[in-house]
Amino acid sequence: MENTLFDIEEYTDPEVRRIMQGNTCRHYANRRRVKQGCTIIMVCEARRSGRSKSGQLRVHCDQPACILFTHKDNSKK
């Protein structure tokens, strides 16, 4: 069990589960590479962060997709 009291799938909306299933931020259309000093980080352009100085939310390539997920291939059409 992943430190949760209830199974996440029981109370997650079926539409959200369909979007998140098998998708990660690696295939997200709004993920951008940004250079900060000597480091390259990945940020999400769709969601903002109030905790960072830049206001951009830092993401990792292998984290599960969020509700705003759109696939890279679908965004170009």
Side-chain angles (χ1 to χ4, degrees), residues 19-72:
I19 291 169
M20 292 171 46
Q21 186 176 15
N23 292 314
T24 61
C25 285
R26 184 181 308 275
H27 305 289
Y28 188 39
N30 291 320
R31 181 179 65 93
R32 298 286 179 251
R33 293 170 53 119
V34 176
K35 187 172 182 179
Q36 288 186 344
C38 297
T39 338
I40 295 175
I41 64 168
M42 303 296 168
V43 296
C44 179
E45 290 186 337
R47 295 178 16 203
R48 307 296 287 170
S49 173
R51 300 179 74 186
S52 65
K53 290 181 182 178
S54 65
Q56 296 177 321
L57 180 67
R58 186 174 182 178
V59 296
H60 300 280
C61 291
D62 295 329
Q63 75 185 40
C66 67
I67 187 66
L68 300 173
F69 180 82
T70 43
H71 203 277
K72 284 182 184 178

